[in-house]
Every structure is written in C-alpha cells, then in structure tokens.
Amino acid sequence: LRKSGVLNFASHPWLFIEEMSQSFVQKHYNAVYSRLTLCSTFSLDQDGEVLAPEELLFRAVKLINESHNAVGAQMDVKFRSLIALAVCEQCLHLWFDLLCSCPEQDQIRIKFYHSWSFIRSPIWRQIKCELRLLAQFSFNLSVDYEVADIVRRKKNLNLSKTLKKKAFSNMLPTTIRSSFDQPLKEGVRDMLIKHHLFSWDL
C-alpha cells in the first residue's frame, strides 16, 4: 500500500475496498440501491443469485460499516469481517477479481497500491485461482464475532470501573462518604418507621 497524508501513514486495505465498492455502483446508484432495497424487502438475495458480485460487495461493505461503526470497531476488524462474510458466501475469489481486474478502477488501484504490489501485477490471477478453491467448501463463520467481543470488553470495562469506584469509596474516610452509605441509627430508623405507619390521613 502507498503512504498517504501529511504524516505519511500507510493506507488501509479497507479504505481501498470502500472506494472500489462505491465506484462499482456510482454510475447506476439509484438503480442499484432500488434493487438492493427490493431484494432486502422480499429476501430475494438469500443465495446470492439475484445480485451481481459488485452489488454484493457494495451491500456487504455498507452493512459492515453500519454494524461496526456502532461499536467503534477499527478498520482491521471490518476487513476481517468482510473476509469472513466472503468466505461464507463463497464469493471471495469473485470480489478479489473485481478489486484487481476492472480497468475502470485503475486510478483507484494506482492511488492505493504500488506497481509491484500483487493487486497491480499479473500474479493476482494465480491468487484468484487459489481463492476459488475455498468456494468448494461450506463455511459458517461469525461475521460479528469481533464486534460481540468489543461489546463484551466494553461491558467488562464498565463493570471494572464500577467495582473500582465502589472499592475506592470504601477506602474513603467515613466523614467523606455519603450519608446514604452509612447504616441508619436506631433512633432514625424508628422515626422513619413511625412516620411511614402514621402518615396517612384517616
């Protein structure tokens, strides 16, 4: 991958896939979006036979962005989730073909990759042949496994913070603690009981 930006950071493959998937449907966005909505409404794409590979890629990237952005997932997690989805749908080799072969997207490939990279060299055809073998097997990978792990870690972190806060409050002097944390004295308890029992107007 090429380096980009003022700080000369390397680009991420997810950014490349995002831009490629958008470029595939940009010219016919309204028609593609209507077809995606129709397929989603009537469950027409269960076997991936209605949508073209580029439309499936666009839909997959969109869904992963929506679900993963909600929990603040990094691009590495999104990329691995997309690979898992492609393997389960037996279309990884088709998507890889799209990313490497379409001449209309040459400028995007030049933007992200050097000329000696696999994406821009003839070797991608051999890689595609190797990836095609995966389509002969059935996989049931969890696309949101890492998302669930992120949510679980956040819950554990919040629980840990709560426990630490509670432990810290127990370490404070009794004069600083809230009066609600102190046990009620006998006189106060009796007063509250009497007030509760005899506070109704008869």
Side-chain angles (χ1 to χ4, degrees):
L1 282 169
R2 293 182 183 273
K3 294 183 178 180
S4 61
V6 178
L7 299 178
N8 206 26
F9 286 141
S11 300
H12 196 280
W14 181 255
L15 299 176
F16 168 69
I17 295 173
E18 272 187 325
E19 190 163 338
M20 289 289 285
S21 66
Q22 292 171 4
S23 68
F24 289 139
V25 298
Q26 190 172 12
K27 293 182 180 179
H28 310 286
Y29 179 81
N30 291 332
V32 171
Y33 188 79
S34 299
R35 189 156 56 251
L36 289 173
T37 304
L38 182 66
C39 291
S40 176
T41 303
F42 296 99
S43 301
L44 300 177
D45 59 337
Q46 292 179 355
D47 297 324
E49 297 177 354
V50 175
L51 301 180
E54 56 266 28
E55 295 170 356
L56 283 173
L57 178 60
F58 173 78
R59 180 176 182 267
V61 170
K62 182 174 180 292
L63 291 176
I64 289 176
N65 271 332
E66 289 177 354
S67 61
H68 288 49
N69 288 342
V71 297
Q74 300 295 323
M75 287 186 286
D76 286 343
V77 178
K78 295 179 182 179
F79 180 71
R80 289 191 291 267
S81 297
L82 183 68
I83 297 299
L85 178 61
V87 171
C88 291
E89 296 296 328
Q90 299 176 328
C91 61
L92 181 59
H93 63 291
L94 298 176
W95 288 355
F96 187 74
D97 188 357
L98 288 174
L99 297 176
C100 300
S101 64
C102 296
E104 295 84 0
Q105 282 74 33
D106 276 341
Q107 291 302 318
I108 300 178
R109 281 187 286 272
I110 293 173
K111 173 183 174 182
F112 282 92
Y113 288 94
H114 292 286
S115 58
W116 59 83
S117 63
F118 289 149
I119 296 290
R120 294 181 57 195
S121 65
I123 195 65
W124 72 263
R125 292 181 173 84
Q126 179 64 34
I127 298 175
K128 177 191 173 183
C129 292
E130 300 295 335
L131 294 177
R132 188 188 288 120
L133 298 175
L134 295 175
Q136 300 177 10
F137 302 94
S138 177
F139 293 90
N140 186 22
L141 305 178
S142 176
V143 178
D144 59 348
Y145 174 79
E146 290 189 89
V147 173
D149 186 57
I150 292 174
V151 174
R152 185 164 53 251
R153 277 184 290 168
K154 285 186 176 181
K155 287 183 178 179
N156 292 337
L157 181 61
N158 292 335
L159 178 61
S160 177
K161 287 182 178 179
T162 303
L163 293 175
K164 287 181 180 179
K165 185 177 180 181
K166 187 174 181 180
F168 181 71
S169 65
N170 291 334
M171 294 169 60
L172 293 175
T174 55
T175 55
I176 301 180
R177 294 184 195 173
S178 172
S179 59
F180 293 102
D181 295 333
Q182 299 180 12
L184 291 174
K185 296 181 179 180
E186 291 295 330
V188 177
R189 185 183 296 111
D190 293 339
M191 181 189 68
L192 291 176
I193 292 175
K194 291 178 181 178
H195 176 74
H196 178 71
L197 291 177
F198 302 105
S199 60
W200 295 283
D201 294 330
L202 298 177

